Amino acid sequence: VELLCALDRWLGVAVPADLLAGVAHTDALIDAIDALQHVPVQPTDQMSDYARCVNPYLAAKLAQLKIDRRFTRADGAWLFDSDGHRCLDFMSQYGALPFGHHPVQIWQALQGLREDAEPVFCQPSLAPSAGALARVLLQHAPAGLRHVTFSNSGAEAVEAALKMARHATGRAGILSTRRGFHGKTFAALSATGNPGYQQPFGLPLADFDNIEYGDINALQAQLAQRPGQYAAFIVEVIQGEGGVRVAPPGYLRAAQQACQRHGTLLVIDEVQTGLGRTGRLFACDDEGVVPDILTLAKALGGGLVPVGATLANDAAYSEAFALKHSSTFAGNALAARAGLATLALLLQDDSAMLRHVVAEGAWLRQRLAQIQARHPWLVTEVRGRGFMLGLCLTRDRSRWPESFLGIAAESGDLAQFVASYLLNVEGLRLAPTLNGSNVLRVQPPLNATHAQCALAADALERCFDVVATGHTGHFFRAILRRQAPAAHALPSSLPPSVALPKPAVKPAGKAQRFAFLLHPLDETGYADYDPSLAVLQPAELREFATSMAGLLEPVVGSTVHIQSATGARAQGDFILISHTAEQLKQLPQREALAVLNKGIALAQQRGAAIVGLGAYTSVVSGGGAQLANSHTRLTSGNSYTVVSAMEALDAALAQRGQHWQHCSVGIVGAAGAIGSCLALLLAERAQRLVLIGNPAHTPAAGRARLRVVARAAVVHVLAHAAAIAQAQPDTPSFARHILQASTAGLDIDSMLASLEQDGSLILAGSIHAAAVAQVLVTATSFPGNLVDDDLLAHGALVCDISRPRSIGRSILQRRPDVLVIDGGVIALPGRPRIGPYGLEDGSSYACMAETMLLALDGPCRDTSLGATLDVAEVKRQQLLARRHGFALASPRSFGLPLPPLAGVVDARPVLATAL
Ligand code: PLP
């Protein structure tokens, strides 16, 4: 049944209910799948039209959040999607649906226009409906407002307000508040206090400044600091998108006085608060404030027609503005009739609807306060009034340090996950606010009934009971299955906290700070980090990984303290990037680098002197070279990885009584940074060198890359001839061949030709060449298993340093003659736990260890970056490791400890035969 439902969801095939009902056993399932072939597929899918032709990026985000619904019908507070699910819409289009969807009275008013046949668009003329709407608005607006300029949206209403203020005062400056929201056109966005929305577009414009909201001293100081500069101060009565923030009592009145003293016009933006949302027609009436200019939009269109309005007093309004500002659709009769009907509805029965908002809003707020009292650390505040309410969610992760719900809380993204749960499980539609992403807005239509409010409150209560467990697995599974978790399945208490990330404080004493970027290698990495995800089926875990990709901002996964054998100390943050290896690889490089730069920015913010690049963060940035800049010191950690692979192989060979000089040594990924450096070091030791490149290259290009590596290996052997001879009196044949060829006066190209001819050197574009290697190192960036179990030589020793692994676990059963050892795992001095990354306590990967070594040894410089490693740096890392007490971890295979020689077939007889 699940499979059929999945087909339904993924392919857009409508699975008939009778077909589902018949699936009781496997045969029936097969028949049902067969029958699906005869179900007609809808020729056009509106959602994919939207995704393809309107906004693919938004569509992708909605899909990640599992809120990519296609609503096909709406009625009042209810929305119905294409699957027939209904949900209670308490978002009300950010306040633009005062009476829910399809309000009958507004439709009637529009129908009335049709019947009257008043022209809808007829500029310039004395438009009767626009005139009537303006008159009614002014009749109820704060005193002194005498002119209405119509437009088509909130942002346009703000644009008009700012133009008016500039002309009336002859000043350019516009002052606004941080987190305030005024729209997304150039000037409105310049006044919007969110750099994230501004910077990509080169905004704010000149002369736009902002100050803290609700701080009258800040306003007075700013006006005094730039006397005669500010044309307007624009402010909301309640910051809606800023997170439903209510200004302290008296703030707006004091702001009005300060503005008057400085000749600055006060613009009150009531685009969201206006027309009933707070239980008053104008929210500023609650404060007894009289602005010079007041903006309206959203509710004014009654939920059916876009419209904006800018109300102004005589001081703000001027002939020049009136004659030079216009907009084709402004003041059209359709919008005006909708506005008139809206005001009539709000004011009828002695403003009964406004009184309803006050009473029901107070009840709902008190229910939300009860929910907050149930989970005070999770819901930190209930804000707002009337039907403009917000639940502020925690950004403190200390209760669930190693849960993705905790991470989402810290990165300010919990509200969007909660909104997804509410929609999918509870059928309640809410959304976070734009400039305050950890605030969940609750904005029912003004005519929402008590029963609907109670339904919403109960849904919220049930949802927060689940969130409070910190159990990401149950939470996400409920979203996927659109079904609440069974109460008995939920843990009663929170999972124990293990490695609490430390706040960004300056370390005491001389502890040097470092950071390390890492990411889940594949979806199982998520479950390593957050064990609650174990309840997910493999396909669900994959969906979880897809949902997380790029959704969460980089966060500190854990913090570790290291004390070296010398007594030097370092403290480091492991910064989590929410992409798997495969996902990072799929990203266009510009986007991948942008993601990594966010992680690096966090590292810098926390004072890191060096940042290590783990796993694919190094692969997608050209070994870190493309991230290098003058502000941050970086390392790929590849040099110490090389050291660790060599040491691991030395130890394993010694344990098996084998000798390098009798082994064919293969390197998978030989043209990569790690592989090519290993090629130099192994050229000193091997009997035969098998360099295996990336089969994705054309044979000619692949061979050319491998030849560069082989040439470097030859040069390396020649340069270190004396040392090689001294270390190994019985000089291994690969090196011996080179030295003899050199004595014979051959140039390097001839040496390479002779090595290949002789079989001492194999350059291969195919993984099949690995079959001749008794010792194999895998160091690739291929995000999956690459080496077939059957391919390996009998009794081969493999050191797999690729992450994700190049060799699958199945080899344990299928090839007991082969020994696979994990490369690159280091035992740390003092054995600290670095965090939940699938490593034994006290150990780390070598690339992490290199970052720590550099921090401990300081001062830091860029290290191990780019496609070529320096053997001298590799040797330095080996010395640093010894000095600071870092050592190879005890040997492991697929993360499991290897008992001495257990399961190891002595390969010598086989080797002897082969030789
Ligand atoms: N001003 C405020 C206070 C708003 O809340 C909004 C929108 O949310 C705007 C202006 C912009 O309105 P629009 O989206 O219609 O341009």
Side-chain angles (χ1 to χ4, degrees), residues 644-904:
S644 72
M646 291 302 298
E647 289 185 348
L649 283 168
D650 277 340
L653 279 178
Q655 201 183 30
R656 288 158 62 113
Q658 284 177 257
H659 300 283
W660 279 112
Q661 64 262 46
H662 300 137
C663 295
S664 286
V665 181
I667 304 170
V668 182
I674 294 174
S676 58
C677 185
L678 279 168
L680 308 194
L681 300 176
L682 292 171
E684 296 177 20
R685 295 163 169 79
Q687 185 219 23
R688 168 202 271 174
L689 206 52
V690 185
L691 304 183
I692 303 170
N694 184 345
H697 295 296
T698 61
R703 189 175 156 75
R705 283 161 59 90
L706 290 176
R707 255 182 81 84
V708 172
V709 178
R711 181 172 254 281
V714 170
V715 172
H716 177 82
V717 168
L718 291 172
H720 296 83
I724 293 169
Q726 196 186 2
Q728 303 169 87
D730 177 13
T731 307
S733 63
F734 183 82
R736 193 170 59 230
H737 192 121
I738 295 171
L739 300 177
Q740 284 167 356
S742 161
T743 317
L746 291 189
D747 64 13
I748 293 181
D749 284 334
S750 312
M751 279 184 211
L752 285 173
S754 128
L755 280 165
E756 278 199 86
Q757 211 166 21
D758 170 59
S760 299
L761 173 68
I762 297 177
L763 305 182
S766 157
I767 191 70
H768 288 95
V772 300
Q774 284 104 26
V775 175
L776 190 70
V777 195
T778 55
T780 79
S781 58
F782 182 76
N785 296 341
L786 187 66
V787 184
D788 218 356
D789 299 345
D790 298 333
L791 192 74
L792 295 166
H794 189 81
L797 168 66
V798 184
C799 178
D800 190 0
I801 50 179
S802 310
R803 291 292 178 277
R805 295 171 188 276
S806 295
I807 317 259
R809 207 175 256 273
S810 60
I811 201 163
L812 290 174
Q813 277 80 45
R814 301 199 52 224
R815 294 293 304 274
D817 60 304
V818 169
L819 175 62
V820 179
I821 54 170
D822 297 346
V825 183
I826 302 300
L828 301 172
R831 315 289 286 154
R833 176 179 189 266
I834 60 160
Y837 311 118
L839 282 158
E840 197 189 359
D841 283 2
S843 58
S844 80
Y845 288 117
C847 48
M848 298 169 173
E850 178 168 325
T851 315
M852 297 176 201
L853 286 170
L854 293 170
L856 287 167
D857 216 69
C860 300
R861 55 180 167 77
D862 284 348
T863 308
S864 312
L865 298 190
T868 317
L869 298 177
D870 179 1
V871 174
E873 183 58 48
V874 170
K875 302 240 155 103
R876 186 175 87 100
Q877 288 297 327
Q878 193 165 25
L879 293 177
L880 287 186
R882 287 207 189 115
R883 181 186 313 155
H884 291 286
F886 288 58
L888 199 65
S890 52
R892 298 194 148 242
S893 184
F894 294 96
L896 305 168
L898 260 183
L901 284 178
V904 178

Side-chain angles (χ1 to χ4, degrees), residues 580-603:
T580 62
E582 182 72 51
Q583 290 163 350
L584 270 179
K585 201 160 183 189
Q586 295 299 329
L587 280 185
Q589 203 196 26
R590 198 165 56 103
E591 285 175 37
L593 295 181
V595 169
L596 304 188
N597 274 319
K598 280 191 192 169
I600 292 172
L602 176 59

Side-chain angles (χ1 to χ4, degrees), residues 135-147 253 256 260 266 268 270 280-294 311-316:
R135 175 177 43 77
V136 180
L137 277 173
L138 295 177
Q139 201 179 324
H140 295 90
L145 296 176
R146 297 193 345 108
H147 311 272
R253 273 177 82 89
Q256 185 186 344
Q260 272 164 1
L266 176 66
I268 294 203
E270 291 236 34
R280 297 291 290 250
L281 206 53
F282 297 94
C284 63
D285 284 346
D286 267 338
E287 315 280 328
V289 185
V290 181
D292 297 290
I293 304 175
L294 186 147
L311 282 56
N313 63 16
D314 287 339

